[in-house]
Amino acid sequence: MFPLVNITIPSYVFFSTLGAISAIILLFFRTERFDITFKQLLLYMFVSGITLLIGSRLLFFLTMIPEIIRDFSVSKMLYYMFNGGIVFYGGLLGMLFGIWLCAKIKHDDKGKIFNFVAPAIPLFHFWGRIGCFFGGCCYGVENSWGVSMADTPDVIRFPVQLFESFFNLFIFISLMIMSEKFKSQKLLMIYLIEYSCCRFVLEFFRGDSVRGMWGVFSTSQIISLIILFFCMIHIINSIKRKKTIE
């Protein structure tokens, strides 16, 4: 007779795993169209996975700098360096850096690789934010309607996680349409613009202070503005180059 095994899987881990599986399946079915070998897929997943984890932890530490400075101590700094959560934008930027670095070393077409990967990002994030909702993190501001959390049943909060999950699903569908129907070669650029706009607005409805506040803006809002700025610069330069060629 086998002993009973009692295993508890955190909601965020469960839904993030679903997101990762969904993203991997999507990428697998896109390999033939983008002429990506299975070996290449595994290599990019391995490298970008490592840089994703590093970036997500590093940005979390940076968001904690105001808190560290407020009551500075070496032990507090070390605590936030090795403990705490992860930040999506840090993971995103870390992953993109890993892909860029790998493509540069392997002399692969960076544009093709980024187009290949782009739709998988919001698909993963769609599931991840559902995990945040059930896990009780990244919660919204107090509101007259919404949901309550287990630890604060008397407080009604705006379900910002579900709204972000919905917008990620919308972004995923829009990218797939642009990829399959319009054969767009700028999927990553489109994703960054769409998500940055969405994230900037939704941050006003977040109620958790862990994400880091710098004046009136959160860390993610500042990163969103920076990303939008560089995307606009890239678009303007592309238009100028096109006019020069014509």
Side-chain angles (χ1 to χ4, degrees), residues 22-32 36 38 41 116:
S22 301
I24 291 171
I25 292 174
L26 174 67
L27 291 175
F28 179 78
F29 281 104
R30 285 170 66 82
T31 52
E32 185 175 351
I36 304 290
F38 185 67
L41 176 60
F116 167 69

Side-chain angles (χ1 to χ4, degrees), residues 63 66 70 203 208-219 221-222:
T63 62
R70 192 175 298 116
E203 279 291 305
D208 56 319
S209 59
V210 181
R211 68 198 197 283
M213 296 297 296
W214 303 82
V216 296
F217 293 132
S218 69
T219 304
Q221 285 178 312
I222 293 172

Side-chain angles (χ1 to χ4, degrees), residues 4 24 29-30 45 51 53 56 83 87 91 97 101-102 109-110 117 133-135 144 147 179 182 201 218 243:
L4 294 176
I24 291 171
F29 281 104
R30 285 170 66 82
M45 285 174 53
T51 54
L53 291 174
S56 62
N83 295 278
V87 178
F97 172 75
L101 182 63
C102 195
D109 184 343
K110 300 181 186 67
V117 170
F133 175 75
F134 284 105
S144 58
V147 297
S179 176
F182 298 103
V201 174
S218 69
K243 287 184 176 180

Side-chain angles (χ1 to χ4, degrees), residues 50-189:
I50 293 175
T51 54
L52 181 153
L53 291 174
I54 294 173
S56 62
R57 284 293 303 149
L58 178 59
L59 187 55
F60 173 80
F61 176 76
L62 293 177
T63 62
M64 291 296 102
I65 288 180
E67 177 67 23
I68 294 171
I69 294 175
R70 192 175 298 116
D71 184 22
F72 180 80
S73 69
V74 175
S75 60
K76 189 175 185 180
M77 182 179 69
L78 292 175
Y79 173 82
Y80 283 120
M81 189 176 295
F82 298 104
N83 295 278
I86 58 177
V87 178
F88 172 76
Y89 258 140
L92 173 64
L93 297 176
M95 182 197 72
L96 294 179
F97 172 75
I99 293 173
W100 175 86
L101 182 63
C102 195
K104 186 175 180 63
I105 294 174
K106 298 292 292 183
H107 302 289
D108 292 332
D109 184 343
K110 300 181 186 67
K112 182 183 77 171
I113 300 297
F114 283 133
N115 268 340
F116 167 69
V117 170
I121 303 173
L123 178 60
F124 165 78
H125 207 187
F126 160 74
W127 289 105
R129 282 306 183 205
I130 294 178
C132 289
F133 175 75
F134 284 105
C137 63
C138 308
Y139 51 84
V141 295
E142 295 185 25
N143 200 35
S144 58
W145 65 271
V147 297
S148 60
M149 300 169 61
D151 54 343
T152 54
D154 297 329
V155 178
I156 305 300
R157 294 189 178 279
F158 182 78
V160 66
Q161 310 101 317
L162 295 183
F163 274 81
E164 187 169 341
S165 178
F166 168 78
F167 278 114
N168 271 294
L169 181 60
F170 170 80
I171 293 171
F172 165 69
I173 294 172
S174 70
L175 292 180
M176 290 302 295
I177 292 174
M178 292 178 186
S179 176
E180 301 301 322
K181 186 174 181 179
F182 298 103
K183 311 299 180 185
S184 174
Q185 301 299 309
K186 299 290 185 181
L187 294 183
L188 181 61
M189 182 70 60

